[in-house]
Amino acid sequence: DLYLLCQSSSCWSGLQALVEPPPPLGGRGANGLRRLPLSSLQPGDGPFRAVVVSCTSAMTVLDFNCEVPGVLTSMRTYAPGDECTVYCYEVNVENKYCRVGLSVLPAWQRAPQLKVKDLNTTGVVVYEGIVQRVWGRRAVVDFNCEVQGVLHAVDMENSSNTTEGLIAGHRVSVCVISARESSSQEK
């Protein structure tokens, strides 16, 4: 068997052939779970868990649970199956290309983190967040607060009491309806 990878960017275009199947990233993109649509990514997104699919002198290709593999910008040498954490550097939906890197670039650093005591809990103020993980009928959302939020399926608009359709990496708009400073998570 031969596994083909087609990539195109502003600085490289080509087809790469792999003799062995790409190593899987445990718990991601398997068993029918959906992958992140490339169109939902923006430079600065992350961190994402990734596994090295291929490493040559020209490039390192990663699976980070996106519909296309990421091309890693790094001088470090990896072997197929190595895991790392990456951030999105460049996205080109038209060419189906995503360049990733190992660190957050200064231009992408977040605004100062919100404090629990400063959250508006009226359910009116909208915060932008990114789903970190989904389990059962709940999702953990990072919305740049000192604690992460828990989104329950029953509290979601257009929900049939399920988190179906939510995957790690999705951008979501959330409103805070309760907050406790002593808790490790917000609702």
Side-chain angles (χ1 to χ4, degrees):
D1 288 336
L2 192 61
Y3 301 86
L4 298 177
L5 172 67
C6 179
Q7 290 279 275
S8 180
S9 74
S10 56
C11 57
W12 184 85
S13 180
L15 187 64
Q16 185 175 19
L18 306 174
V19 179
E20 298 179 18
L25 179 59
R28 303 280 299 273
N31 302 325
L33 296 178
R34 294 185 313 173
R35 292 179 169 272
L36 289 172
L38 184 60
S39 59
S40 73
L41 295 177
Q42 296 178 13
D45 283 356
F48 300 103
R49 281 183 51 228
V51 63
V52 174
V53 172
S54 172
C55 187
T56 67
S57 59
M59 75 171 76
T60 299
V61 178
L62 302 167
D63 178 355
F64 66 105
N65 201 40
C66 181
E67 63 186 353
V68 301
V71 175
L72 179 63
T73 301
S74 173
M75 299 301 288
R76 186 172 164 196
T77 303
Y78 289 93
D82 286 352
E83 290 191 19
C84 59
T85 300
V86 296
Y87 296 85
C88 185
Y89 282 15
E90 176 188 354
V91 175
N92 186 322
V93 176
E94 184 178 313
N95 290 326
K96 295 184 179 359
Y97 173 79
C98 185
R99 185 168 57 91
V100 296
L102 299 173
S103 59
V104 178
L105 298 181
W108 299 333
Q109 289 180 342
R110 297 179 175 194
Q113 200 172 54
L114 297 168
K115 301 287 184 191
V116 174
K117 65 181 180 65
D118 297 329
L119 291 174
N120 182 316
T121 58
T122 62
V124 176
V125 174
V126 177
Y127 299 95
E128 296 300 316
I130 297 176
V131 175
Q132 298 299 304
R133 67 182 175 276
V134 178
W135 80 101
R137 295 176 8 179
R138 296 175 289 191
V140 174
V141 177
D142 178 359
F143 62 104
N144 198 30
C145 184
E146 62 187 350
V147 295
Q148 294 180 326
V150 175
L151 178 62
H152 296 270
V154 71
D155 295 325
M156 292 172 35
E157 288 182 8
N158 303 324
S159 170
S160 57
N161 204 16
T162 179
T163 55
E164 185 175 314
L166 275 182
I167 60 174
H170 271 175
R171 293 178 178 279
V172 292
S173 298
V174 296
C175 298
V176 178
I177 57 174
S178 70
R180 293 182 302 233
E181 288 193 50
S182 61
S183 174
S184 62
Q185 296 186 328
E186 298 309 302
K187 180 178 181 186

